[in-house]
Every structure is written in C-alpha cells, then in structure tokens.
C-alpha cells in the first residue's frame, strides 16, 4: 500500500469545488480544507506507485481550479490506527 499526502492550492473561491471533485476519486480517501499555506490536503492510498503517478499527472490536472500541488509519499506510518489491517479485511 502506498500512502501519499497531497497539499494543494486553489483559485480563490474554488476550494469547495476542488475538494468535492477530489473526494469523488477512488484513490483519495479524505480531503481536508485547512488554514495555512495550503487550501486543501488530500490523503491518497493506492496499491502501487504507478497509480499515484496516474492520479497526480493525469487526473488532478483535469480538475479545474487547482493552481499548485505538492505530493509527499509516506515511507512509514507511526499510528495507533492500523491502516494495513483495515484495507486487508476480506482479502486473501
């Protein structure tokens, strides 16, 4: 499982529109509107790097209103919540 965090800036007044478009993508598990340097943060979980590359270079460029993205790939998770087990339920 590949986890990535995408930080985004949008055109003025387009935060909600961009967030809704992204939330409808199967690779994106959560989208947060935030304060600070960025307008949105998207959590991405995909099975392989190629799916992340497809999302960033082909799907996100099609979303109107995005002005800047910064993608961070997680190397290791330090959390009490075990995401691996959540995604493996019912999969053999």
């Amino acid at each position: 499982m590949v986890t990535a965090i995408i930080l985004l800036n949008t055109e003025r007044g387009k935060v909600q529109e961009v967030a809704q478009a992204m939330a409808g993508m199967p690779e994106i598990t959560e989208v947060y509107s935030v304060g600070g340097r960025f307008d949105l943060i998207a959590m991405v979980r995909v099975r392989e790097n190629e799916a992340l590359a497809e999302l960033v270079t082909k799907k996100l460029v099609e979303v109107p209103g995005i002005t800047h993205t910064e993608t961070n790939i997680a190397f290791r998770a330090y959390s009490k919540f075990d995401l691996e087990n959540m995604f493996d339920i019912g999969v053999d």
Side-chain angles (χ1 to χ4, degrees):
M1 177 72 55
V2 177
T3 300
I5 299 98
I6 302 178
L7 309 169
L8 301 102
N9 288 114
T10 67
E11 294 173 7
R12 181 170 244 150
K14 297 285 185 176
V15 171
Q16 186 174 357
E17 212 173 290
V18 170
Q20 288 175 345
M22 293 178 67
M25 296 178 180
E27 304 90 344
I28 298 176
T29 58
E30 301 133 84
V31 180
Y32 300 97
S33 62
V34 296
R37 230 179 70 189
F38 295 96
D39 299 315
L40 295 170
I41 296 176
M43 298 300 297
V44 178
R45 293 186 177 88
V46 292
R47 295 220 180 267
E48 53 197 27
N49 285 335
E50 290 77 16
L52 177 60
E54 178 87 12
L55 173 69
V56 172
T57 64
K58 294 188 178 169
K59 291 185 178 183
L60 290 184
V61 297
E62 298 287 323
V63 177
I66 295 175
T67 59
H68 174 80
T69 65
E70 187 174 311
T71 303
N72 298 274
I73 296 176
F75 293 131
R76 200 172 277 147
Y78 299 92
S79 171
K80 292 180 183 178
F81 186 69
D82 186 1
L83 291 173
E84 276 304 312
N85 287 333
M86 182 178 81
F87 282 100
D88 288 341
I89 293 174
V91 178
D92 291 319

